[in-house]
Amino acid sequence: MGKAETECYNFSMMTTLPLPVILHTDREHDKLRTTIVLILILLYFISYRIVQALLNLAMFATVRDYATAISCVLGLVLALGVTAVIEKILKRTWHSGQSLTLDEEGILAQYRHQNPIRIRQNGSMTRINWTFGLKGYRRGGREKRLPAKWVCLACQLQQDDHRLIVYSYMPPREAAVWLNDERHKFRRINQADAIEPTLASKLKMPIRPEVSNEMLRGKDGRYWLAERNRWLDGLELTHEDFAIFMRYLNNMEDFPHV
């Protein structure tokens, strides 16, 4: 990695953060999303029946005549509202099983399907940051559900054989706080560069962009390699938790301004 775009750290640190801090990652995990869909279907059936029953008791015949149509609309609105509240509660209480623990020793990353890794404060580390916007390419998965104007910010830490990738999606205004900070040097990449603009690619379901060997050999090769690894084992944080994670890194001693 080039020195100009890699930040090296000595983790001997004093931090103002109240440690330890546990950051639960990937809050919109698959089990939660499946459960939310099932809850929405169940609540829609229940709310439809309730609204229909109430309308059938109405004194005006006109209302009773349109009871089915009105029940469909109001039942859906009611179900969506209640489901949104339940989803908000579940995101806070039903964790994915993956997390980051920030403490005096460093960073401990817990994964569901692989062994935990420890980035230690008493060892040297390399760090790269990169970013991309969510517009201009056919998105899939989690990215498809987010506003196109949002931005992804990602950070890779490497220490010996351990690699940790943390990322977050956020609105442009919040992303600007980090992008305008010269200490972090977020490198902009364009996801559309990794998608071949052919008719066949447009007809396919949205998938992760393919990173070619030519791109890996290019000037942004280290970032595209990190981006490809992000798809495999990256840990997503909310933008609030991402701010805590970045603050933790920023409070380390010997933070270089490169």
Side-chain angles (χ1 to χ4, degrees):
M1 294 185 179
K3 291 184 179 180
E5 298 178 79
T6 302
E7 299 169 4
C8 301
Y9 299 86
N10 183 337
F11 272 81
S12 57
M13 56 170 283
M14 292 294 290
T15 176
T16 58
L17 284 173
L19 301 178
V21 175
I22 299 178
L23 305 177
H24 295 282
T25 70
D26 307 293
R27 291 197 175 184
E28 291 197 15
H29 52 91
D30 292 341
K31 291 182 179 180
L32 184 144
R33 290 202 58 79
T34 300
T35 301
I36 290 300
V37 171
L38 295 177
I39 290 175
L40 176 60
I41 294 172
L42 177 61
L43 288 178
Y44 179 53
F45 176 79
I46 294 174
S47 59
Y48 168 82
R49 292 295 186 184
I50 292 175
V51 173
Q52 187 178 50
L54 292 175
L55 291 177
N56 286 332
L57 296 175
M59 296 178 60
F60 301 102
T62 304
V63 174
R64 293 197 298 270
D65 292 340
Y66 294 97
T68 299
I70 296 175
S71 298
C72 288
V73 176
L74 292 183
L76 179 59
V77 172
L78 181 60
L80 288 172
V82 176
T83 301
V85 174
I86 295 175
E87 181 178 10
K88 188 175 182 179
I89 295 172
L90 288 179
K91 284 182 178 180
R92 294 178 178 177
T93 57
W94 187 5
H95 304 307
S96 66
Q98 302 195 135
S99 65
L100 294 172
T101 300
L102 315 179
D103 56 29
E104 292 82 358
E105 295 184 17
I107 304 170
L108 176 64
Q110 298 277 1
Y111 298 89
R112 284 193 305 268
H113 305 302
Q114 65 186 68
N115 294 330
I117 65 171
R118 166 71 79 173
I119 304 294
R120 300 190 177 279
Q121 62 168 327
N122 57 358
S124 61
M125 176 184 75
T126 58
R127 170 184 173 189
I128 61 171
N129 300 322
W130 70 100
T131 181
F132 60 88
L134 299 186
K135 64 172 57 175
Y137 68 99
R138 298 184 67 221
R139 296 174 288 154
R142 167 106 168 96
E143 293 176 1
K144 189 176 182 180
R145 301 190 298 270
L146 297 171
K149 64 180 181 179
W150 277 33
V151 178
C152 178
L153 272 64
C155 171
Q156 175 179 278
L157 308 179
Q158 186 86 36
Q159 186 177 79
D160 299 327
D161 295 330
H162 297 314
R163 179 188 69 222
L164 172 63
I165 298 178
V166 176
Y167 66 98
S168 181
Y169 301 105
M170 61 189 73
R173 185 174 180 178
E174 296 182 13
V177 174
W178 308 108
L179 298 179
N180 294 335
D181 190 334
E182 289 298 324
R183 294 177 299 172
H184 303 299
K185 298 186 181 297
F186 278 90
R187 182 74 171 188
R188 294 184 183 274
I189 62 174
N190 184 1
Q191 292 284 357
D193 293 342
I195 301 176
E196 186 179 358
T198 63
L199 178 61
S201 65
K202 294 180 180 180
L203 296 176
K204 292 180 180 177
M205 293 291 290
I207 57 174
R208 295 292 190 183
E210 297 286 341
V211 180
S212 66
N213 291 332
E214 181 179 355
M215 296 177 68
L216 294 178
R217 291 192 296 266
K219 64 177 182 178
D220 291 333
R222 64 174 68 93
Y223 299 99
W224 280 113
L225 179 59
E227 173 65 7
R228 187 170 68 179
N229 290 330
R230 182 182 73 87
W231 307 336
L232 301 175
D233 53 22
L235 298 176
E236 182 187 351
L237 292 173
T238 64
H239 52 83
E240 297 91 349
D241 286 350
F242 186 80
I244 294 174
F245 178 80
M246 296 296 286
R247 179 186 170 195
Y248 176 86
L249 294 181
N250 292 350
N251 278 292
M252 295 175 180
E253 290 183 350
D254 301 324
F255 189 102
H257 296 259
V258 295

